[in-house]
Amino acid sequence: MQKVLGGFVRTFYFDEESNADVIDGVMQIEYDLEQFRVYPITVVVLEHKDNSSEIGDAIVGHTQKLSGYGGDLIVRAYFSAFAHKIQKYIVAYEPFARSSIWGIRNPAFFSADGLQLDLTEYWRKRMRSFIKLLHYAAQREIRHGSLSSPSSYVTCRGDQRIINMGRVYHDKYEAGKDMEDLMHLISRLFPDSSTKYEWVSLKNLLISKTMSDPATVQNFLRIALGHPILLDTV
């Protein structure tokens, strides 16, 4: 049994006759004194591969390692298991809903002042969290591998968050790739960002050759988070 939410997973259920790859379900947690409690989950069915078991374990393990540093950005992964009826491995997450690209684009990226040089408070805090998360992940050679894809972002706890952290763990780690992917997605979602000097300077800094590996750059966080566009000007 796997330990989750202070107890142990006794059983879990989802509609295994569904052909969907994302399905809502429930898990039953056993606590001391034979106390049980049922929690909702969202199940992601992994593609059938020879190493699906390792992929599932990597997603859960890497997500848990990073949760303390990017908990506001990452969907919690509870456990991975083999679903016998469909003969595939699954990852059980806290409940989430798939997002549309329009959901990712809200709220606005730039403030509504006349010059629109500043990020909105939401995106300033979000970018600071992204930088911290990717810095911590790089120190542990944990890579997402698909941050440029809108399908990597879902709605959870009332906001946009990331799933599948560590899903490409078996691929060769490539320093700076996740940051490049994130910048690429933002450029697609907010095309006018390329005309904002302060934002372009931050983007160029983060994907520069000098800063490409956050794990090896001395004072990386101090330099990146000290950029003017990320500072609270209120």
Side-chain angles (χ1 to χ4, degrees):
M1 293 189 295
Q2 301 183 57
K3 192 167 186 178
V4 173
L5 298 177
F8 293 91
V9 179
R10 171 60 66 180
T11 187
F12 64 93
Y13 170 81
F14 66 97
D15 184 3
E16 295 187 54
E17 295 183 358
S18 170
N19 291 322
D21 57 357
V22 177
I23 312 165
D24 289 334
V26 296
M27 64 178 177
Q28 185 184 62
I29 303 296
E30 179 181 357
Y31 297 96
D32 294 338
L33 304 177
E34 296 186 348
Q35 294 180 335
F36 297 89
R37 187 170 178 181
V38 175
Y39 294 89
I41 57 175
T42 296
V43 170
V44 173
V45 180
L46 301 180
E47 297 177 9
H48 181 70
K49 295 182 178 180
D50 291 340
N51 62 342
S52 294
S53 174
E54 290 83 358
I55 292 174
D57 290 342
I59 291 174
V60 175
H62 290 166
T63 299
Q64 291 177 350
K65 284 181 182 178
L66 297 176
S67 62
Y69 292 80
D72 60 332
L73 293 176
I74 302 176
V75 180
R76 302 185 191 103
Y78 292 138
F79 63 88
S80 179
F82 186 69
H84 292 277
K85 191 169 184 177
I86 60 175
Q87 292 291 293
K88 290 183 178 180
Y89 283 89
I90 62 95
V91 174
Y93 286 95
E94 64 177 313
F96 69 79
R98 279 183 161 167
S99 304
S100 71
I101 195 168
W102 298 106
I104 298 173
R105 292 180 65 179
N106 287 301
F109 197 59
F110 291 100
S111 61
D113 59 33
L115 296 177
Q116 291 190 322
L117 297 177
D118 297 326
L119 297 180
T120 57
E121 181 180 1
Y122 173 89
W123 276 105
R124 185 174 64 249
K125 291 180 178 179
R126 207 69 167 166
M127 284 307 306
R128 291 178 67 88
S129 294
F130 266 119
I131 291 170
K132 291 176 184 177
L133 172 64
L134 296 185
H135 172 66
Y136 184 74
Q139 289 180 319
R140 283 143 187 82
E141 296 192 351
I142 297 175
R143 177 185 161 204
H144 185 282
S146 192
L147 287 181
S148 61
S149 171
S151 64
S152 296
Y153 304 84
V154 298
T155 300
C156 176
R157 285 176 271 141
D159 209 341
Q160 303 292 324
R161 305 185 196 279
I162 302 169
I163 60 171
N164 294 333
M165 202 71 196
R167 190 165 185 165
V168 295
Y169 83 100
H170 54 288
D171 292 348
K172 183 179 179 181
Y173 177 77
E174 185 176 347
K177 182 64 167 57
D178 279 341
M179 185 66 76
E180 289 182 15
D181 286 348
L182 176 62
M183 294 297 106
H184 179 68
L185 177 65
I186 290 175
S187 295
R188 287 171 54 202
L189 296 178
F190 306 101
D192 63 337
S193 64
S194 63
T195 67
K196 313 298 183 182
Y197 174 79
E198 290 289 351
W199 170 255
V200 172
S201 67
L202 173 64
K203 175 182 175 181
N204 289 341
L205 172 68
L206 293 176
I207 64 175
S208 66
K209 185 175 181 180
T210 301
M211 297 282 280
S212 63
D213 188 354
T216 61
V217 178
Q218 188 175 13
N219 298 321
F220 175 88
L221 287 181
R222 182 179 62 80
I223 296 169
L225 299 179
H227 190 282
I229 202 171
L230 296 179
L231 298 178
D232 189 350
T233 57
V234 178

